Amino acid sequence: MTMPQPKARPDTDTGPAAKIRLDGVTKRFGAKTVLDGLSVAVGEGQSLVIIGGSGSGKSVTLKCILGLLRADAGHIWVDGQDVTTMSERERKTMLKRFGMLFQGAALFDSLPVWENVAFGLIQGRGVKRRDARDIAIDKLARVGLAADVGALFPAELSGGMQKRVGLARAIATEPEIIFFDEPTTGLDPIMADVINDLIVECVRDLGATTISITHDMASARKIAHTMAMIYHGRIIWSGPAAQIDQSGNDYVDQFIHGRAEGPIRMEVLKG
Amino acid sequence: MIHLLHDFLVIVGRYAISAFAAIGRLSGFAGSALSHIVRPPLYLGLTGRQMLSIGYFSLPVVGLTALFTGSALAQQVYIASTRFNAESAVASVNVIAIVRELGPVLGGLMVAGRVSSAMAAELGTMRVTEQIDALTTLSTDPMKYLVVPRLIAAVVTLPLLVIVANTIGVFGGFVVATQRLGFNAASYLQVTVDYLEASDVISSLVKAAVFGLIIAMMGSYHGYHSRGGAQGVGRATTNAVVSAFILILLANLIITVMVFGT
Ligand SMILES: Nc1ncnc2c1ncn2[C@@H]1O[C@H](COP(=O)(O)OP(=O)(O)OP(=O)(O)O)[C@@H](O)[C@H]1O
Ligand SMILES: [Mg+2]
């Protein structure tokens, strides 16, 4: 009798260790099928990076897990609980354990930066404003923003600064599960690496389970335990981050090397 | 011929379906919003801020509307009424028209123009920039945080605004009557008080509260469900104002017939 081997392809992994698992998730907008039976899983305390072309449904995948979009078919399990059949109340309880960095930062523009960061603490956890503010200033420092930025409004920040405030907000409550939708897009290379380190720390030191979306392969290599590539609404390859270069998959190779020529045809008119 | 009829029915059917769908969505939205009012937490600070922005900042526009309308009305009634008892006619028609109809309706329409549009634009922008989704992920119910404070604030504030509008409207008529038409101030006021009944005031305030609900509901609903970037937000704003206007006028007719029709 041998122990079941950990499988290299987490989308077929059925062990209990999976913190989040998507199984055959389908999502359509009108006639357009964005996710077409997508399956992927991420283990507890693991960092999954999803790569894939623009418009391939990466952000939609995260929103389906959070319940912001309703999957048309398939199942999504978080800690063994099926999100797709949850009641509103159960979903609310579940979301308390999540942090999310939106692709467009999605900062509340009626609130100053520090209140944005402290929002989950004040509203979700009932932390006193004064204490929440201290925590917020501390989180801002973690993403390289000085304390005086806390008093500004989101509209007064650059795009990259907004992204970092969104990141500080996502990690402020130190959630168990954190989603990062393009955390380093719009940042300079040095700041991008600071953010990579921060995400690694979240996983290593806080034990968070993370799913990150990125187009930045340097960032992906740094933060991922596992990588998955999405194409035409499905995961066409997934495996340990170290094996991405030996995937043996032409689509993955083309993507990670950023070549215009290959099996993935961009729908552009050549002049 | 059959084809034409068929096509016609298809079009009618399609409109009917989309109309019913819209009514269904709106009722769902309204039901959910109202059910959240009775479940804690209530965001009192946000409600207060909304009351300030709906009520206090609408005072100038509502006050001026009432003043000009009341004054013009006094002049018109004077011209139309027989010279014999012009004094009682002007005072009584003025107070009844203002309190029963013009105060709440014009006040409601002015506030709808100001407030429904602002709510739709604000919530619509929050929707398309994913701020509403972000609220959900931060364990805050957007219905409770965004919609309920606006509903409560509008329902509470509109009656207060209409009291002000009624008073200013009657005052406008009084000024024209005494300063331009040479009426006696004391007897004009006496007639005004004599003709005004409690039911007039109550119906006026009920109308105002209903209009407040309509204003906040239309602004929130259209904003909350807007999609498609800046254009979508623009559309939501227009729809919020137009639907609030029509619903206010319709609700006014229904309440008037119910209260005074028998
Ligand atoms: N609310 C929506 N309504 C209609 N279509 C949508 C909606 N959200 C996303 N889509 C469509 O779904 C597809 C996937 O969108 P998604 O935002 O997930 O892309 P993505 O993989 O995150 O791309 P990017 O890397 O550019 O962010 C797109 O083609 C988009 O048009
Ligand atoms: Mg995206």
Side-chain angles (χ1 to χ4, degrees):
Chain A
M1 185 72 201
T2 52
M3 290 293 288
Q5 288 292 307
K7 291 172 186 156
R9 289 174 53 93
D11 59 320
T12 56
D13 179 3
T14 50
K19 184 89 174 166
I20 301 173
R21 179 203 316 286
L22 285 76
D23 189 14
V25 173
T26 299
K27 178 70 193 168
R28 294 183 204 90
F29 292 105
K32 181 171 174 183
T33 303
V34 175
L35 302 182
D36 187 14
L38 180 136
S39 301
V40 71
V42 54
E44 168 124 39
Q46 293 287 302
S47 169
L48 168 69
V49 167
I50 299 178
I51 56 175
S54 183
S56 58
K58 303 182 297 294
S59 300
V60 166
T61 304
L62 294 188
K63 287 183 191 164
C64 286
I65 302 174
L66 292 165
L68 297 172
L69 292 173
R70 185 175 286 274
D72 297 311
H75 292 278
I76 300 168
W77 285 279
V78 175
D79 275 334
Q81 264 193 303
D82 192 344
V83 178
T84 54
T85 57
M86 257 182 195
S87 73
E88 192 70 6
R89 183 185 303 255
E90 286 173 317
R91 188 160 73 89
K92 245 174 235 170
T93 317
M94 181 198 79
L95 283 176
K96 281 202 198 304
R97 299 189 284 138
F98 277 78
M100 166 84 183
L101 165 65
F102 285 85
Q103 187 169 357
L107 301 180
F108 306 127
D109 40 33
S110 60
L111 298 177
V113 164
W114 81 264
E115 275 196 63
N116 265 281
V117 178
F119 196 92
L121 294 163
I122 297 173
Q123 304 293 347
R125 306 271 163 111
V127 177
K128 292 227 164 53
R129 281 176 74 84
R130 179 183 296 265
D131 300 338
R133 186 184 179 119
D134 291 341
I135 298 173
I137 299 294
D138 177 57
K139 297 295 176 195
L140 284 172
R142 298 282 301 274
V143 295
L145 293 170
D148 53 349
V149 173
L152 301 176
F153 280 86
E156 298 170 297
L157 305 182
S158 75
M161 289 165 90
Q162 292 182 2
K163 200 71 187 238
R164 286 185 279 157
V165 174
L167 201 108
R169 184 174 72 180
I171 63 172
T173 56
E174 306 195 344
E176 274 171 58
I177 303 166
I178 318 175
F179 294 165
F180 301 102
D181 197 343
E182 306 199 7
T184 57
T185 308
L187 302 184
D188 66 77
I190 300 169
M191 187 50 72
D193 206 45
V194 170
I195 297 305
N196 290 338
D197 286 338
L198 182 64
I199 294 174
V200 170
E201 276 172 43
C202 283
V203 176
R204 197 185 52 209
D205 301 344
L206 303 176
T209 306
T210 63
I211 301 181
S212 313
I213 291 172
T214 187
H215 295 292
D216 171 357
M217 285 314 295
S219 168
R221 287 171 201 279
K222 189 149 184 179
I223 63 186
H225 293 133
T226 332
M227 287 196 209
M229 177 156 165
I230 184 169
Y231 183 68
H232 281 332
R234 294 163 178 264
I235 299 293
I236 53 159
W237 182 85
S238 71
Q243 289 176 12
I244 187 86
D245 292 308
Q246 295 90 42
S247 66
N249 183 311
D250 291 344
Y251 293 86
V252 174
D253 276 342
Q254 185 192 350
F255 189 86
I256 63 176
H257 296 114
R259 288 190 292 254
E261 300 302 321
I264 306 174
R265 315 291 323 171
M266 287 289 160
E267 281 160 12
V268 288
L269 286 176
K270 294 262 165 74
Chain B
M1 187 60 209
I2 297 288
H3 276 296
L4 268 178
L5 185 68
H6 176 260
D7 290 353
F8 176 73
L9 287 179
V10 165
I11 290 170
V12 169
R14 206 171 283 154
Y15 270 108
I17 288 170
S18 71
F20 281 125
I23 291 172
R25 264 200 313 276
L26 177 59
S27 337
F29 181 82
S32 155
L34 296 178
S35 78
H36 275 291
I37 291 184
V38 293
R39 280 183 286 158
L42 275 183
Y43 294 97
L44 293 178
L46 292 175
T47 311
R49 209 176 309 159
Q50 286 298 325
M51 288 175 76
L52 199 67
S53 90
I54 298 171
Y56 185 72
F57 294 113
S58 296
L59 274 176
V61 57
V62 170
L64 284 176
T65 307
L67 183 67
F68 295 149
T69 309
S71 313
L73 185 65
Q75 181 70 56
Q76 290 288 13
V77 175
Y78 177 74
I79 295 167
S81 63
T82 60
R83 295 299 168 95
F84 288 111
N85 53 4
E87 193 154 305
S88 73
V90 171
S92 61
V93 171
N94 205 57
V95 71
I96 287 176
I98 295 277
V99 173
R100 285 187 181 180
E101 295 291 326
L102 295 176
V105 171
L106 290 180
L109 292 179
M110 295 313 275
V111 178
R114 242 197 101 238
V115 171
S116 293
S117 53
M119 284 182 183
E122 192 177 351
L123 297 194
T125 306
M126 291 188 75
R127 165 62 72 198
V128 301
T129 57
E130 300 182 325
Q131 293 179 51
I132 294 184
D133 288 340
L135 274 177
T136 308
T137 66
L138 291 164
S139 321
T140 303
D141 194 314
M143 216 61 174
K144 264 191 171 25
Y145 188 82
L146 297 173
V147 178
V148 169
R150 285 170 169 77
L151 288 182
I152 295 179
V155 171
V156 172
T157 311
L158 255 279
L160 300 177
L161 274 174
V162 164
I163 290 175
V164 174
N166 290 346
T167 312
I168 293 179
V170 170
F171 174 75
F174 171 78
V175 169
V176 168
T178 54
Q179 302 304 310
R180 252 185 73 83
L181 310 174
F183 289 7
N184 177 281
S187 61
Y188 186 94
L189 283 182
Q190 188 60 48
V191 174
T192 300
V193 173
D194 287 347
Y195 270 87
L196 186 64
E197 287 177 9
S199 65
D200 297 333
V201 178
I202 292 169
S203 75
S204 186
L205 298 185
V206 169
K207 282 181 176 181
V210 171
F211 298 167
L213 185 69
I214 290 172
I215 288 167
M217 202 62 99
M218 287 303 106
S220 306
Y221 170 77
H222 287 285
Y224 202 86
H225 291 284
S226 70
R227 58 184 66 226
Q231 224 180 0
V233 175
R235 220 169 20 240
T237 310
T238 310
N239 290 343
V241 175
V242 172
S243 58
F245 272 34
I246 290 172
L247 286 180
I248 284 176
L249 294 171
L250 178 66
N252 179 62
L253 176 62
I254 292 172
I255 297 175
T256 297
V257 170
M258 272 169 35
V259 175
F260 302 105
T262 48

